Amino acid sequence: MIKIKQSINDPDKLIVSGLQTDSRLQMFNILKDTDNEFYLNIFKNYTLPDSISDNEDFFDTYIVDNDDWWDNMSSHFYDASTLWWVICFVNNIKNPFEEIYPGMTVRIFKKEYYNEIIKQLREIFKL
């Protein structure tokens, strides 16, 4: 179970327990709303470093079909539906619930370079 609480020493600091150290949820800011409920800011805009984004050797392209969705593309290309966020991330998708349509050209981060993107994310976001 994931628990979020405020630090006793610093009320502005939020502490998350129960996340695995390699959890991608650590990429998102944890915010507190006016009702004192905590939530993840999944719409924060991240971008790839230019050293990766500008190098087409890291990517394949794919034309979205009628039945495609982020998770089934992830399953097809990465053998894991949970890596849908990688496809959204490299395509600068801010709202994965609305921004997909048949005929759309999507950049697919090549599976063999997946560890590189994770390394870059850890460096950028101190994961």
Side-chain angles (χ1 to χ4, degrees):
M1 173 181 264
I2 298 171
K3 294 183 180 181
I4 303 172
K5 63 182 181 178
Q6 288 178 290
S7 168
I8 295 172
N9 299 329
D10 183 359
D12 292 329
K13 183 177 180 183
L14 300 175
I15 300 169
V16 179
S17 62
L19 282 179
Q20 295 180 352
T21 56
D22 62 346
S23 172
R24 302 299 167 247
L25 291 175
Q26 293 183 42
M27 291 179 8
F28 303 111
N29 289 339
I30 300 168
L31 304 173
K32 189 164 111 176
D33 66 15
T34 55
D35 296 327
N36 289 324
E37 294 291 326
F38 297 106
Y39 62 96
L40 293 174
N41 181 10
I42 63 171
F43 296 108
K44 182 175 180 178
N45 185 20
Y46 296 110
T47 56
L48 281 174
D50 290 342
S51 61
I52 293 176
S53 184
D54 293 343
N55 187 341
E56 290 302 318
D57 292 337
F58 287 122
F59 304 96
D60 287 322
T61 56
Y62 177 72
I63 305 298
V64 174
D65 196 6
N66 288 336
D67 297 326
D68 283 330
W69 198 249
W70 304 116
D71 58 348
N72 65 1
M73 284 189 286
S74 170
S75 183
H76 175 76
F77 289 102
Y78 303 127
D79 300 320
S81 63
T82 56
L83 296 176
W84 60 268
W85 64 271
V86 174
I87 299 171
C88 290
F89 182 72
V90 300
N91 287 280
N92 296 318
I93 300 299
K94 293 177 181 67
N95 184 351
F97 301 107
E98 297 178 5
E99 298 188 40
I100 191 169
Y101 54 88
M104 178 179 182
T105 300
V106 176
R107 294 172 82 195
I108 302 293
F109 198 77
K110 291 181 180 177
K111 187 176 179 180
E112 61 263 30
Y113 298 118
Y114 174 76
N115 287 332
E116 179 63 26
I117 195 171
I118 296 303
K119 177 183 165 197
Q120 292 282 334
L121 287 171
R122 284 188 172 139
E123 290 174 9
I124 293 168
F125 304 113
K126 310 296 184 234
L127 298 180

